[in-house]
């Protein structure tokens, strides 16, 4: 047994419940991991060959999130840090590395699944992918929604659901901002991600409607320069439009609702768990209905304000950061204690 293995085992025996955990993870979803850092644990991001770099255009790196040196390869694990668990975000090479480190250090492995089976593959390939993922061993398997969990063939007996959480004090309305007469959408690389983000659908729906797009879309739009600027886009639009096809729930939709936007969205995946049609937003997969709802909200200030208030109320009650961090800390501590 190595010194690092003995050190990790010793730490589990001596660590107090109020002491921050040291969590090995990987840069994957900047805005989600920014929220995750609010658990006040310490995160150490492992950089494997070909792994995603943290994009500061999407979110600054939190102070308790430490990106390790990719140039050190297998030797990048911090020798001065006793790691408590591994948090893996994907089913690719990241999972293989996570499993190896978990076994080597005898620390728990938590797998967080953000995505859905890839609809670009055949039904047979999707079934095989689901079968393989069901066979993956971990100390906890976490999904971002009930819908997500069901699509991967998991149940409440063998997995957990932790819904998105965000800082509703930051993502909030501002009453004195004048609304601009357009429908806002926020998507990166929209045209190339049409299969999951619905670019072609949006083009049909938005025809003859005033619109604004924010996001890294060469030749079409640029990303917000900061989270504060993005927030100002949400606050100043009359309507927020989401046309996602194969995404459990876009973070931008939740942010827009938290900012009090009246939202119009496709009715896919987890979205019906967040939007109650006609109360805190409108949903449809029909082009003409989506267009009708957008125009209705652009012209009806009273309806727009009512839906915006209900949208924010939903996020404050069900997707707030306190609930999110409590759920994650409870799970983190549970898997560490069970390994002791």
């Amino acid at each position: 047994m190595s010194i690092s293995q003995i050190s990790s085992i010793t730490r589990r025996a001596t660590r107090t419940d109020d002491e921050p955990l040291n969590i090995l993870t990987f840069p994957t979803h900047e805005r989600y991991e920014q929220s995750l850092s609010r658990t006040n644990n310490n995160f150490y991001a492992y950089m494997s060959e070909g792994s995603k770099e943290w994009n500061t255009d999407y979110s600054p790196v939190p102070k308790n999130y430490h990106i390790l040196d990719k140039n050190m390869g297998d030797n990048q694990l911090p020798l001065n840090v006793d790691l408590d668990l591994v948090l893996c975000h994907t089913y690719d090479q990241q999972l293989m590395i996570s499993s190896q480190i978990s076994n080597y250090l005898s620390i728990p492995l938590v797998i967080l699944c953000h995505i859905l089976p890839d609809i670009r593959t055949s039904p047979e390939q999707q079934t095989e992918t689901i079968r393989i993922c069901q066979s993956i061993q971990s100390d906890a398997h976490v999904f971002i929604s009930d819908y997500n969990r069901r699509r991967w063939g998991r149940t409440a007996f063998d997995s957990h659901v932790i819904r998105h959480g965000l800082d509703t004090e930051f993502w909030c309305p501002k009453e004195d901002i004048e609304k601009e007469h357009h429908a806002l959408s926020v998507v990166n690389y929209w045209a190339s991600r049409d299969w999951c983000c619905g670019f072609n659908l949006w083009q049909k729906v938005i025809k003859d409607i005033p619109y604004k797009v924010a996001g890294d879309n060469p030749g079409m739009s640029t990303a917000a320069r900061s989270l504060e600027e993005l927030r100002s886009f949400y606050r100043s639009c009359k309507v927020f439009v989401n046309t996602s096809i194969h995404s459990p729930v876009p973070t931008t939709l939740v942010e827009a609702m938290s900012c009090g936007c009246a939202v119009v969205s496709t009715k896919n995946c987890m979205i019906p768990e967040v939007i109650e049609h006609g109360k805190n937003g409108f949903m449809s997969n029909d082009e003409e209905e989506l267009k009708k709802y957008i125009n209705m909200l652009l012209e009806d200030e009273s309806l727009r304000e009512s839906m915006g208030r209900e949208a924010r109320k939903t996020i404050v009650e069900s997707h707030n950061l306190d609930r999110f961090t409590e759920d994650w800390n409870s799970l983190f501590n549970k898997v560490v204690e069970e390994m002791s």
Side-chain angles (χ1 to χ4, degrees):
M1 185 175 289
S2 69
I3 293 175
S4 57
Q5 287 172 302
I6 295 171
S7 179
S8 293
I9 294 170
T10 302
R11 174 171 165 79
R12 288 201 297 272
T14 59
R15 176 184 165 271
T16 59
D17 289 343
D18 59 350
E19 189 177 349
L21 292 164
N22 296 323
I23 299 172
L24 185 76
T25 190
F26 304 79
T28 310
H29 301 285
E30 291 87 351
R31 294 256 268 291
Y32 188 95
E33 289 175 90
Q34 185 191 50
S35 292
L36 201 55
S37 72
R38 298 287 288 272
T39 59
N40 293 325
N41 295 299
N42 301 310
F43 293 86
Y44 297 86
Y46 192 93
M47 300 293 292
S48 59
E49 189 64 33
S51 66
K52 181 183 185 299
E53 302 280 348
W54 184 286
N55 190 334
T56 55
D57 289 339
Y58 299 159
S59 172
V61 180
K63 291 182 179 179
N64 57 334
Y65 193 99
H66 312 282
I67 298 177
L68 303 179
D69 186 355
K70 179 166 62 177
N71 295 323
M72 295 184 66
D74 295 341
N75 297 316
Q76 63 185 282
L77 290 179
L79 297 177
N80 61 330
V81 176
D82 296 326
L83 295 169
D84 294 296
L85 64 92
V86 183
L87 174 62
C88 174
H89 294 259
T90 68
Y91 287 137
D92 54 15
Q93 182 189 20
Q94 188 182 119
L95 177 58
M96 181 181 69
I97 296 170
S98 298
S99 182
Q100 290 172 345
I101 294 173
S102 169
N103 290 332
Y104 175 69
L105 294 178
S106 298
I107 57 177
L109 169 61
V110 176
I111 300 174
L112 167 61
C113 180
H114 299 261
I115 62 171
L116 296 168
D118 193 338
I119 58 172
R120 292 171 295 180
T121 61
S122 69
E124 293 76 18
Q125 288 174 307
Q126 291 180 50
T127 298
E128 178 61 12
T129 299
I130 291 171
R131 185 194 66 77
I132 292 171
C133 291
Q134 286 176 335
S135 69
I136 293 171
Q137 299 298 310
S138 68
D139 295 278
H141 219 109
V142 184
F143 295 89
I144 63 171
S145 73
D146 287 317
Y147 176 86
N148 230 43
R149 178 164 64 181
R150 291 194 302 272
R151 287 289 287 113
W152 285 104
R154 296 275 184 164
T155 70
F157 296 104
D158 64 3
S159 60
H160 308 264
V161 169
I162 298 180
R163 297 187 306 277
H164 276 12
L166 73 163
D167 186 348
T168 56
E169 293 185 6
F170 177 84
W171 301 106
C172 64
K174 191 173 183 183
E175 299 303 326
D176 59 350
I177 291 182
E178 184 177 349
K179 296 291 185 180
E180 297 176 13
H181 190 71
H182 63 239
L184 171 71
S185 294
V186 180
V187 192
N188 292 312
Y189 307 110
W190 205 350
S192 63
R193 298 166 65 218
D194 171 62
W195 69 276
C196 61
C197 297
F199 179 69
N200 289 334
L201 171 62
W202 173 80
Q203 285 185 306
K204 295 172 185 176
V205 169
I206 212 68
K207 188 177 180 181
D208 301 324
I209 293 176
Y211 69 85
K212 177 175 181 175
V213 175
D216 195 348
N217 298 289
M220 178 183 179
S221 67
T222 58
R225 291 169 294 184
S226 65
L227 294 182
E228 287 77 12
E229 183 176 57
L230 178 59
R231 179 179 60 182
S232 74
F233 292 161
Y234 293 137
R235 286 172 166 177
S236 61
C237 73
K238 284 189 174 179
V239 186
F240 181 83
V241 177
N242 168 63
T243 57
S244 66
I245 295 169
H246 191 66
S247 170
V249 61
T251 299
T252 54
L253 176 62
V254 181
E255 290 171 347
M257 291 177 71
S258 186
C259 286
C261 291
V263 299
V264 176
S265 175
T266 43
K267 188 179 180 181
N268 296 314
C269 305
M270 175 191 166
I271 292 169
E273 295 179 24
V274 181
I275 295 178
E276 183 178 346
H277 180 70
K279 182 178 180 182
N280 63 356
F282 285 123
M283 289 185 298
S284 177
N285 291 324
D286 180 87
E287 296 170 16
E288 292 305 316
E289 284 191 358
L290 289 169
K291 184 185 289 286
K292 179 186 73 174
Y293 295 139
I294 295 169
N295 281 318
M296 189 186 305
L297 287 168
L298 282 172
E299 300 304 327
D300 192 330
E301 181 179 0
S302 177
L303 177 62
R304 192 168 63 236
E305 291 180 350
S306 173
M307 281 202 161
R309 284 194 298 271
E310 289 296 328
R312 174 162 173 78
K313 181 180 177 183
T314 297
I315 303 307
V316 169
E317 290 179 351
S318 301
H319 295 269
N320 63 78
L321 199 58
D322 287 343
R323 188 272 312 155
F324 177 81
T325 57
E326 287 171 8
D327 286 352
W328 270 113
N329 274 329
S330 177
L331 180 72
F332 286 150
N333 284 305
K334 181 175 182 289
V335 297
V336 169
E337 288 168 6
E338 288 178 349
M339 181 71 91
S340 300

